[in-house]
């Protein structure tokens, strides 16, 4: 039995009067990849953004219920979101490198958190992060060019390198491959597979094949409800719920 | 066939639509050409009226630096030389400006020279002290009346009474011209002097420096306050009725007539706080109030235009709110903010009414050297000169307008430069 890293209980999210999540309870295991699937607008991103409190940025968004990370409650005003977010990295659906150099993009996190002791230390962190994100070979001669000059897939890997540079425990990925071609997607999937040895990964995806390839566990959302969770193998071969069955066989969604 | 019928209709409609396109293009072209024509006409009039004030008239005098008259010797120190009797040398030189002048003639011819002539004679000597006891031919500044006549701004074929120069003086004038002793040269006074009662000596330097000090005050006050307020309102302020009220009022403030700010400066800065009158400090403070809303609106718009994904990326990395704002949003918002600031400063440069209210309209014959010294400003200088009846000031008015326009063009060029320098793509 794996350790439970993140545990949500009865999480409800409202955008103004509209309820986007209905009593979602989901456990996420340590050092595993958990994928969240479901039709568009069902609340996958909303749930993901609850875990690192990014929903705080949306004024009309109200979250209640309980989410624990390492058995500590995070849905509370007392939580220091800055330290929470340094523990939980996030990769967005659309690559969003900072308009700075490739080096500075990766160095940003370690710099603001004061992780690097010296300049060589920082360079070491940047290099190893880029290497782990599978980007170093392509960019090592152009570290001082703007991050925005990279291709879409490279930018996405840069964002992954940026996220792992601060050495988080958890990485949240919101459709990281939605803008990428099959080759770039394969590179990122390979990367996710490697990363799971050290990190807990939650990935939102629209691609059933991707969920099946990279994740150990899967959660299926529908209309703001978590319909079913379980081992990926089981969800894709023999789901308990009809709706899940319908979605994965492409009958709706 | 109904199909064909509708086809025809569609072709008709398409013809109509492309005709409308062409018409609209023509209207646009006409409007642009008209705008440009008006602008060129404006610039042309200003230039043709003003360019002559970059020239001044000078008359050649034979000055004998005679040591008896000057009451110095070749051993005199610099201090003694400075105090030497140059006015006597000048008097002698003017009396012999033309041959065979009667006493009355001398009186008349004296009026054809600027009152500044002794200073020029003195300066010439101080620069070349070894000319003691020699006679030098020096071009000295002519009186504005001579200057205007030579430049053709004043008419000579009118009744003697209506002329500044009488018939006898016109004879002298013609004699100077025909002997090549009256000519125009570059008017250094216009660029290095402050205002003066004498048109031939009046210059733009005082009000230019005054405007510079005023704009510096505006920038130093309005830029930090404006940026601080924008960042607070855009990123930190709670969204409630109170902040909404503030936002609406900033927009209102931008529409308040400038003279109201002037009254505020008069009533509060001068009368309550006792700031020194007609100084760049007060003028700048008042104009800063006026510029503030422009800067805030520009800065907030450019902060809003920063893609939210950048801020989200930074916050998701665990940056604090302040770090996200100052490391990522402010640098991206800077070009737009600077452009807005320079537009605000350009507006402030041209404002006249508030400066009149706080007394910056006084006649100031010195170039200010600090923020708390009485000073003029370019727009007020224009106002003062256009008001004065002497013809010599008319060309100065146009020239001062040219200076303010050049100042504005330079500021806009700076805005374009800063924009391209700081602009980054994302
Ligand atoms: N900022 C917001 N303001 C208001 N409503 C929102 C906001 N963000 C999301 N919602 C609503 O919440 C619901 C869930 O949205 P969410 O983005 O979580 O869906 P999703 O499952 O990620 O969809 P997709 O697969 O298309 O990304 C949707 O109905 C959406 O309209
Ligand atoms: Mg989504």
């Amino acid at each position: 039995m794996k350790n439970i890293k993140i545990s949500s209980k009865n999480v409800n999210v409202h955008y103004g009067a509209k309820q986007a999540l209905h009593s979602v309870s989901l456990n996420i295991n340590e050092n595993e990849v958990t994928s969240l699937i479901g039709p568009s607008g069902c609340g996958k991103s909303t749930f993901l953004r609850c875990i690192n409190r990014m929903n705080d940025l949306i004024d009309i968004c109200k979250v209640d219920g309980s989410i624990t990370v390492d058995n500590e409650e995070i849905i509370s005003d007392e939580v220091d979101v800055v330290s929470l977010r340094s523990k939980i990295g996030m990769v967005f659906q659309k690559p969003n490198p900072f308009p700075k150099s490739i080096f500075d993009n990766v160095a940003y996190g370690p710099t603001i958190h004061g992780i690097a002791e010296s300049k060589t230390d920082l360079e070491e962190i940047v290099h190893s992060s880029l290497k782990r994100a599978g980007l170093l070979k392509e960019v090592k001669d152009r570290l001082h060019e703007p991050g925005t000059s990279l291709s879409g897939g490279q930018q996405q890997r840069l964002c992954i390198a940026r996220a792992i540079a601060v050495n988080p425990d958890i990485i949240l990925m919101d459709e990281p491959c939605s803008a990428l071609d099959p080759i770039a997607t394969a590179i990122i999937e390979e990367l996710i597979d490697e990363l799971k040895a050290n990190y807990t990964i939650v990935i939102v995806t629209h691609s059933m094949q991707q969920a099946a390839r990279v994740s150990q566990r899967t959660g299926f959302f529908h209309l703001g409800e978590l319909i079913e969770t379980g081992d990926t193998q089981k969800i894709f071969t023999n789901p308990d719920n009809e709706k899940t069955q319908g979605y994965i066989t492409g009958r709706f969604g | 066939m109904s199909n064909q019928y509708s086809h025809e209709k569609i072709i008709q409609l398409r013809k109509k639509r492309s005709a409308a396109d062409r018409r609209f293009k023509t209207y646009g072209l006409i409007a642009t050409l008209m705008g440009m024509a008006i602008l060129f006409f404006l610039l042309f009039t200003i230039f043709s009226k003003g360019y002559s004030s970059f020239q001044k008239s000078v008359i050649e005098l034979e000055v004998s630096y005679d040591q008896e008259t000057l009451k110095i010797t070749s051993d005199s120190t610099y201090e003694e030389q400075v105090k030497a009797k140059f006015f006597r040398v000048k008097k002698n030189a003017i009396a012999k400006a033309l041959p065979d002048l009667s006493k009355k003639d001398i009186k008349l011819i004296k009026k054809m020279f600027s009152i500044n002539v002794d200073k020029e004679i003195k300066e010439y000597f101080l620069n070349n002290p070894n000319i003691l006891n020699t006679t030098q031919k020096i071009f000295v500044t002519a009186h504005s009346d001579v200057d205007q006549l030579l430049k053709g701004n004043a008419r000579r074929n009118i009744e003697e009474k209506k002329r500044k120069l009488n018939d006898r003086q016109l004879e002298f004038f013609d004699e100077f011209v025909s002997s090549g002793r009256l000519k125009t040269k570059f008017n250094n006074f216009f660029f290095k002097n402050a205002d003066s009662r004498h048109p031939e000596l009046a210059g733009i330097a005082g009000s230019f420096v005054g405007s510079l000090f005023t704009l510096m005050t505006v920038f130093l006050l309005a830029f930090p306050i404006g940026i601080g307020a924008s960042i607070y309102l855009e990123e930190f302020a709670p969204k409630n009725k109170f902040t909404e009220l503030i936002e609406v009022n900033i927009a209102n403030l931008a529409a308040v007539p400038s003279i109201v700010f002037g009254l505020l400066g008069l009533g509060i800065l001068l009368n309550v706080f006792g700031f020194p009158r007609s100084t760049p400090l007060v003028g700048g403070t008042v104009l800063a109030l006026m510029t503030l809303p422009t800067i805030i609106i520009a800065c907030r718009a450019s902060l809003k235009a920063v893609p939210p994904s950048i801020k989200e990326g930074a916050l998701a990395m665990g940056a604090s709110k302040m770090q996200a704002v100052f490391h990522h949003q402010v640098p991206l918002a800077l070009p737009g903010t600077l452009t807005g600031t320079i537009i605000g400063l350009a507006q402030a440069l041209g404002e006249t009414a508030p400066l009149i209210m706080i007394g910056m309209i006084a006649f100031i014959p010195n170039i200010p050297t600090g923020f708390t010294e009485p000073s003029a400003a370019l727009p007020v200088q224009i106002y003062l000169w256009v008001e004065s009846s002497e013809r010599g000031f008319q060309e100065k008015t146009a020239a001062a307008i040219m200076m303010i326009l050049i100042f504005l063009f330079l500021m806009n060029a700076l805005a374009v430069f800063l924009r391209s320098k700081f602009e980054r793509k994302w």
Side-chain angles (χ1 to χ4, degrees), chain B residues 80-93:
Chain B
E80 284 166 333
Q81 289 176 353
V82 169
K83 286 193 196 122
K85 311 285 182 204
F86 289 103
F87 68 94
R88 294 169 57 172
V89 169
K90 164 195 147 188
K91 222 167 141 188
N92 292 344

Side-chain angles (χ1 to χ4, degrees), chain B residues 141-157:
Chain B
T141 310
H143 192 275
S144 168
D145 295 337
V146 174
D147 183 49
Q148 291 303 305
L149 191 63
L150 185 66
K151 286 172 179 169
N153 293 344
R155 283 184 296 163
R156 59 185 294 166
N157 47 358

Side-chain angles (χ1 to χ4, degrees), chain A residues 49 52 54 57 59 81-82 85-86 88-90 92 94 96-100 105 108-110 112-113 148 162-163 166, chain B residues 237 239 307-328 331-332 424-426:
Chain A
R49 291 164 60 93
N52 67 346
M54 285 304 273
L57 301 186
D59 289 317
V81 291
V82 168
R85 287 176 190 152
S86 54
I88 306 179
M90 187 167 199
F92 294 81
K94 218 177 117 214
N96 59 346
F98 300 131
K100 298 175 186 290
N105 260 282
Y108 185 66
I112 58 171
H113 294 297
T148 42
R162 184 174 80 182
V166 291
Chain B
K239 300 270 175 289
S309 63
I310 301 285
K311 177 180 166 189
E312 286 197 339
L315 289 175
M317 293 296 305
S320 68
K321 212 163 170 177
M322 218 180 90
Q323 287 171 325
V325 168
F326 282 97
H327 295 165
H328 300 283
L332 290 177
R424 277 188 273 184
K425 293 199 176 72
W426 53 74

Side-chain angles (χ1 to χ4, degrees), chain A residues 128-189:
Chain A
S128 69
S129 305
L130 284 170
K131 194 168 180 191
R132 272 150 78 203
L135 190 61
L136 188 62
K137 249 190 239 150
E138 287 149 80
V139 302
K140 66 170 178 292
D141 302 324
R142 43 193 282 210
L143 286 179
H144 294 283
E145 282 175 33
T148 42
S149 68
L150 297 173
S151 78
Q154 290 173 326
Q155 287 189 15
Q156 197 59 294
R157 278 178 284 153
L158 178 63
C159 291
I160 294 174
R162 184 174 80 182
I164 57 184
V166 291
N167 213 11
D169 291 349
I170 301 167
I171 300 177
L172 309 175
M173 297 181 165
D174 194 348
E175 298 180 40
C177 302
S178 64
L180 304 185
D181 68 73
I183 294 171
T185 304
I187 294 174
I188 288 182
E189 282 179 8

Side-chain angles (χ1 to χ4, degrees), chain A residues 13-16 18-21 37-49 55 58-61 93 174-175 204-206 221 224:
Chain A
V13 178
H14 290 83
Y15 290 107
K18 184 175 175 294
Q19 187 160 6
L21 284 183
I37 60 171
S40 187
C42 64
K44 305 176 299 288
S45 298
T46 302
F47 180 74
L48 202 67
R49 291 164 60 93
N55 282 330
I58 301 167
D59 289 317
I60 56 166
C61 185
Q93 177 170 353
D174 194 348
E175 298 180 40
V204 170
T205 176
H206 274 286
F221 282 76

